[in-house]
Amino acid sequence: MDEDMHDLALWLESKRLMIHPHTDIQVLQRLISEDEDSLLLALYDDISDPRSVAVARAQQRAGGQRRRRLRRLAARGGQATDITC
């Protein structure tokens, strides 16, 4: 159980640190304008989908909420021992 929670904590932290999806979209637009590679076009289609952007933002929010919760618990003297992951 503890290992599962640790894996979840690492996953949430990685999502919190993700680059905003719009940044990826802008970079891909610049790359596609230089080289119309089919892989870049497929990646752009996946990333620019509004549902993908919404999912990425929700994952970032979940990671941020977890981090804030751990900080509050640590400030209160709760059981949050590892804030970084």
Side-chain angles (χ1 to χ4, degrees):
M1 180 78 171
D2 287 338
E3 186 176 323
D4 291 339
M5 292 303 288
H6 180 70
D7 291 343
L8 175 64
L10 290 176
W11 183 81
L12 284 170
E13 184 66 11
S14 73
K15 296 303 175 184
R16 186 185 70 80
L17 298 174
M18 270 185 355
I19 296 173
H20 193 283
H22 292 295
T23 304
D24 290 337
I25 292 169
Q26 292 169 355
V27 169
L28 280 172
Q29 285 173 339
R30 276 187 265 133
L31 288 173
I32 289 171
S33 68
E34 296 172 10
D35 178 23
E36 292 190 21
D37 184 24
S38 61
L39 179 61
L40 287 176
L41 291 171
L43 185 58
Y44 176 76
D45 287 341
D46 287 343
I47 290 178
S48 63
D49 179 28
R51 288 177 292 178
S52 296
V53 173
V55 166
R57 296 296 296 152
Q59 290 172 342
Q60 287 176 327
R61 280 194 302 273
Q65 287 171 354
R66 180 189 174 280
R67 186 168 178 83
R68 287 188 297 276
R69 179 178 176 272
L70 290 177
R71 278 195 210 140
R72 281 194 304 271
L73 284 174
R76 292 183 201 160
Q79 296 179 355
T81 57
D82 190 7
I83 293 177
T84 59
C85 61

